[in-house]
């Protein structure tokens, strides 16, 4: 469904509404929050009309709580952005916070060579509630999506998350708080911009395309055969084997301790080797909120490296998942997937 405001004005922004708390209100019959329609959101934010931009909107049907997000929605988002790429200067995606970091990560890998901003935002409180954080998040996201430099190029041609005055690279952010307004953090990369009295852009960090006139490439083949194994004291051989060697699994993201360490027990390494021999791609990311994997520091890490485990560096789990879906969709050969994973594709890792 398309809805237009301020036709004839300068920049053009497409607001894409997928659901999430920002657009929910209480359904008295079940005493739970449910999504309401987009024109009601716009009514709550008359400030948007003060921008000299054309703001169109597109509403997903059905609207969802982002806990229900599937890769099919990422494909629909990529299709929509590709189809309307030439008509808009930037895209703002209203999305539930619960899986926003997964969606922003996936989209960052699905679109190569972006020349326009794709900004995800949402809120912790519905937009109809007086203390909502949704208005500021939405208004500033629109301003960032429309922001250009003196040459007329987008200031932030990246997939980002804007939340509570901070603009983060999408594939660097994680949801860290379920009730504070500052729900997201980007622990391994400083903000791309911060909003105060003015919006201050951290230009040295923002990735710019090599050719502004080249259309981006949309990668829409996703292979989702990924499992996640989180290390914990007391983990059993049965659990590790089930996850690492599952027949429907092509890759496993292993969330290890600290700098990439896992148990040094013989059974554990034997299962890792068994999985590697069976052709499973095993990625090592840390369960620490900040910092990087380095498999050369401790003996336990070294054994993983020798068994063919791939270094995830300072990747978030959300980013690793989207990156694997994309790389496995692009390459048949696991060696290509592993080499791609250890490369910095969209600013998602620091090497
Ligand atoms: N459950 C909601 C969602 O992710 C939470 C939110 O939007 O903040 O859709």
């Amino acid at each position: 469904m398309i809805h237009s405001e301020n036709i004839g004005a300068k920049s053009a922004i497409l607001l894409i509404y997928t659901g999430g708390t920002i657009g929910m209100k209480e359904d008295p019959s079940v005493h739970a929050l449910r999504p309401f329609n987009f024109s009601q959101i716009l009514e709550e934010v008359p400030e948007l009309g003060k921008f000299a931009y054309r703001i169109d909107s597109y509403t997903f049907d059905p609207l969802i709580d982002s806990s229900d997000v599937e890769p099919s929605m990422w494909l629909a988002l990529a299709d929509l952005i590709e189809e309307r790429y030439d008509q808009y200067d930037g895209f703002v995606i209203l999305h539930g916070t619960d899986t926003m970091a997964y969606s922003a990560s996936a989209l960052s890998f699905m679109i190569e060579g972006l020349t326009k901003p794709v900004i995800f935002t949402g809120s912790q409180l519905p937009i109809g509630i007086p203390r909502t954080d949704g208005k500021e998040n939405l208004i500033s996201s629109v301003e960032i999506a429309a922001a250009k430099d003196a040459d007329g190029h987008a200031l932030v041609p990246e997939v980002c998350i804007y939340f509570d005055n901070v603009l983060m690279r999408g594939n660097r952010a994680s949801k860290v708080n379920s009730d504070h307004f500052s729900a997201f953090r980007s622990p391994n990369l400083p903000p791309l911009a911060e909003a105060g009295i003015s919006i201050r852009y951290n230009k040295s960090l923002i990735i710019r395309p090599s050719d502004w006139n080249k259309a981006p490439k949309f990668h829409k083949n996703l292979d989702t055969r990924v499992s996640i194994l989180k290390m914990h004291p007391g983990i059993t051989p049965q659990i590790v084997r089930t996850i690492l060697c599952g027949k429907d699994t092509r890759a496993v993201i292993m969330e290890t301790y600290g700098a990439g360490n896992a148990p040094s027990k013989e059974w554990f390494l034997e299962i890792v080797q068994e999985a590697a021999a069976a052709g499973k791609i095993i990625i090592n990311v840390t369960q620490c909120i900040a910092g990087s994997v380095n498999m050369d520091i401790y003996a336990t890490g070294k054994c993983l490296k020798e068994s063919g485990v791939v270094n995830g560096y300072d990747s978030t789990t959300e980013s690793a998942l989207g990156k694997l879906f994309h790389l496995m969709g692009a390459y048949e050969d696991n060696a290509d997937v592993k080499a791609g994973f250890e490369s910095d594709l969209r600013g998602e890792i620091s090497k």
Side-chain angles (χ1 to χ4, degrees):
M1 183 204 297
I2 278 277
H3 173 99
S4 274
E5 302 250 313
N6 289 339
I7 304 272
K10 286 186 282 181
S11 286
I13 302 298
L14 183 62
L15 255 179
I16 302 168
Y17 176 36
T18 67
T21 295
I22 191 162
M24 292 189 183
K25 66 178 176 196
E26 172 128 336
D27 176 342
S29 65
V30 284
H31 296 292
L33 293 173
R34 283 197 198 284
F36 62 99
N37 74 41
F38 195 77
S39 54
Q40 287 173 282
I41 293 194
L42 290 179
E43 273 165 32
E44 298 288 346
V45 201
E47 294 87 345
L48 286 176
K50 294 188 179 160
F51 282 130
Y53 315 140
R54 188 181 106 216
I55 302 176
D56 294 346
S57 61
Y58 180 94
T59 303
F60 269 67
D61 185 15
L63 291 165
I64 56 166
D65 182 300
S66 78
S67 314
D68 281 322
V69 158
E70 290 292 334
S72 55
M73 199 186 86
W74 302 337
L75 293 170
L77 281 170
D79 279 339
L80 182 64
I81 294 171
E82 184 175 27
E83 275 166 23
R84 313 217 171 165
Y85 197 75
D86 295 334
Q87 298 167 37
Y88 295 98
D89 299 285
F91 301 84
V92 173
I93 302 175
L94 297 180
H95 191 291
T97 58
D98 288 345
T99 59
M100 191 186 289
Y102 287 94
S103 295
S105 293
L107 261 285
S108 78
F109 296 110
M110 293 168 74
I111 314 175
E112 186 180 349
L114 253 186
T115 56
K116 299 179 180 182
V118 175
I119 314 292
F120 280 81
T121 196
S123 68
Q124 293 283 62
L125 277 179
I127 210 149
I129 287 184
R131 281 197 320 109
T132 185
D133 50 332
K135 279 190 181 193
E136 195 284 323
N137 286 346
L138 172 55
I139 293 167
S140 296
S141 295
V142 168
E143 186 164 337
I144 291 167
K148 291 188 183 160
D149 64 16
D151 299 325
H153 295 139
L155 278 185
V156 195
E158 292 205 38
V159 178
C160 299
I161 289 181
Y162 178 83
F163 221 87
D164 195 36
N165 297 314
V166 183
L167 183 74
M168 292 155 270
R169 178 168 297 149
N171 56 34
R172 291 290 198 154
S174 293
K175 184 172 179 182
V176 293
N177 203 310
S178 60
D179 48 34
H180 280 194
F181 286 145
S182 55
F184 288 87
R185 267 182 65 192
S186 165
N188 289 321
L189 189 80
L192 298 184
E194 281 176 277
I197 290 177
S198 59
I199 300 177
R200 293 177 304 279
Y201 293 90
N202 195 346
K203 291 192 183 143
S204 61
L205 286 180
I206 296 169
I207 298 172
R208 295 158 66 87
S210 51
D211 182 353
W212 287 99
N213 297 317
K214 201 165 151 203
K217 204 163 165 193
F218 286 79
H219 301 277
K220 297 190 204 155
N221 207 13
L222 300 178
D223 179 349
T224 60
R225 291 175 294 162
V226 178
S227 304
I228 299 178
L229 171 63
K230 181 166 183 158
M231 289 299 132
H232 60 85
I235 198 163
T236 62
Q238 291 80 358
I239 295 289
V240 173
R241 179 170 282 107
T242 303
I243 298 177
L244 276 186
C245 304
K247 77 171 168 42
D248 296 323
T249 298
R250 184 171 168 201
V252 179
I253 299 167
M254 198 160 68
E255 282 192 3
T256 55
Y257 304 124
N261 305 309
S264 56
K265 296 180 188 76
E266 222 166 278
W267 65 259
F268 179 79
L269 287 168
E270 274 170 18
I271 299 173
V272 168
Q273 280 154 11
E274 186 183 319
K280 309 294 182 194
I281 301 163
I282 307 171
I283 309 288
N284 190 351
V285 300
T286 175
Q287 14 182 293
C288 290
I289 289 174
S292 186
V293 163
N294 181 341
M295 291 190 278
D296 292 317
I297 307 180
Y298 298 99
T300 49
K302 273 208 161 104
C303 293
L304 294 179
K305 188 176 173 181
E306 280 154 18
S307 308
V309 172
V310 176
N311 194 339
Y313 297 94
D314 56 351
S315 175
T316 62
T317 297
E318 296 90 324
S319 170
L321 191 85
K323 191 171 178 180
L324 276 172
F325 283 7
H326 156 60
L327 288 170
M328 297 196 318
Y331 302 112
E332 284 288 313
D333 188 339
N334 284 357
D336 293 329
V337 175
K338 290 181 189 174
F341 200 93
E342 291 202 347
S343 312
D344 178 13
L345 302 181
R346 310 276 190 273
E348 72 284 4
I349 52 171
S350 326
K351 283 185 78 175

